[in-house]
């Protein structure tokens, strides 16, 4: 099963030191490894992540070697206390938090305006396998275009998404591209900072990247054991 993994660049170098070949795609760099997956530095934000992932998926399909799974992996903010610094989160729902309209009565997601979708759901069996293998918590991972930086914004997000464990900026874009190609998607986040008031001194990016790298060591055998026909 071929796997594309849009991921944090530093974690790629640590987890896959034996990477064999770099492939230039429109606006993106794909790294082919000897570990059975291709790694894509997908960029920051949902738009670039979607475009980069779509380019990789399209190139593979045209080459006759389509991918069987896309894993969006990186670091992100965690909602305390459920997702503490250095912990891992696997999304059972990948939800865009700020696609919609502001009204006098509050935020309306784009689905309530009659368009699109706001949530992609990874296969439940895959989420279960990966969570058991890595010890990750499972819940909603929010995708945002602007990182949360205040207590008020954090509280608003939790009120609208009570199952949210983490926020990132790329998962929904990656999931949109995967869905367009009919490929299942998974999102894994290592928590580098709490969602709330912006405090760079409290960030633990190194710890999060270490946790993400360790998770990759357990991810490959978990993916190999997953039966894509098991939808439970």
């Amino acid at each position: 099963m071929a796997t594309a993994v849009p991921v944090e660049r530093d974690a790629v170098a640590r987890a896959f030191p034996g990477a064999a070949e770099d492939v230039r795609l429109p606006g993106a760099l794909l790294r082919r490894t000897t570990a059975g997956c291709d790694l894509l530095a997908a960029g920051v934000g949902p738009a670039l992540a979607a475009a980069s992932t779509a380019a990789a998926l399209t190139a593979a399909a045209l080459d006759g070697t389509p991918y069987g799974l896309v894993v969006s992996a990186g670091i992100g903010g965690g909602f305390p206390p459920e997702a503490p610094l250095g912990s891992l989160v696997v999304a059972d729902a990948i939800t865009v938090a700020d696609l919609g309209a502001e009204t006098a009565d509050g935020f309306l997601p784009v689905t309530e305006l009659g368009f699109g979708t706001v949530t992609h759901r990874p296969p439940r069996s895959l989420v279960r396998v990966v969570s058991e293998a890595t010890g990750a918590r499972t819940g909603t991972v929010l995708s945002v275009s602007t990182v949360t930086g205040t207590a008020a914004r954090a509280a608003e997000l939790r009120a609208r998404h009570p199952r949210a464990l983490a926020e990132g900026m790329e998962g929904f874009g990656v999931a949109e591209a995967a869905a367009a190609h009919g490929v299942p998607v998974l999102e894994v986040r290592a928590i580098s900072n709490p969602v709330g008031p912006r405090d760079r001194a409290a960030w633990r990016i190194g710890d999060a990247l270490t946790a993400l790298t360790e998770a990759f060591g357990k991810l490959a055998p978990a993916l190999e054991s997953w039966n894509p026909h098991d939808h439970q």
Side-chain angles (χ1 to χ4, degrees):
M1 176 176 60
T3 306
V5 186
V7 68
E8 296 288 334
R9 189 183 302 270
D10 288 347
V12 170
R14 295 184 193 183
F16 296 98
E21 178 186 7
D22 286 345
V23 179
R24 292 284 177 183
L25 296 173
L29 176 66
L30 184 79
R31 178 160 293 179
R32 299 196 188 283
T33 79
T34 56
C37 63
D38 293 346
L39 300 161
L40 179 68
V44 177
L48 185 54
S52 300
T53 304
L57 289 168
T58 299
L62 291 176
D63 193 44
T65 55
Y67 293 110
L69 173 68
V70 177
V71 181
S72 176
I75 62 176
F79 287 94
E82 293 87 354
L85 299 184
S87 66
L88 284 173
V89 171
V90 176
D92 58 17
I94 302 170
T95 296
V96 61
D98 50 13
L99 182 61
E102 290 288 349
T103 76
D105 297 321
F107 179 80
L108 287 179
V110 70
T111 47
E112 293 190 25
L113 302 176
F115 303 102
T117 186
V118 294
T119 295
H120 291 281
R121 298 189 182 277
R124 287 180 295 175
S125 59
L126 177 60
V127 171
R128 182 174 63 250
V129 165
V130 171
S131 175
E132 291 174 352
T134 62
R137 296 161 170 82
T138 61
T140 300
V141 175
L142 302 179
S143 291
V144 296
S145 295
T146 301
V147 174
T148 299
T150 66
R153 175 62 172 168
E156 177 190 349
L157 290 177
R158 286 302 296 266
R160 287 200 276 119
H161 306 282
R163 294 189 67 254
L165 291 182
E167 74 168 20
M169 301 182 76
E170 294 78 35
F172 186 79
V174 171
E176 286 276 81
H181 281 261
V183 179
V185 66
L186 182 73
E187 183 172 11
V188 180
R189 290 278 167 182
I191 303 305
S192 59
N193 57 277
V195 176
R198 188 173 174 83
D199 179 9
R200 289 293 299 269
W203 293 7
R204 298 293 181 267
I205 292 177
D207 292 344
L209 288 174
T210 297
L212 188 63
T213 301
E214 291 175 353
F216 266 104
K218 303 170 184 176
L219 192 61
L223 295 181
E224 290 174 0
S225 70
W226 174 58
N227 177 3
H229 303 293
D230 179 6
H231 300 291
Q232 301 303 314

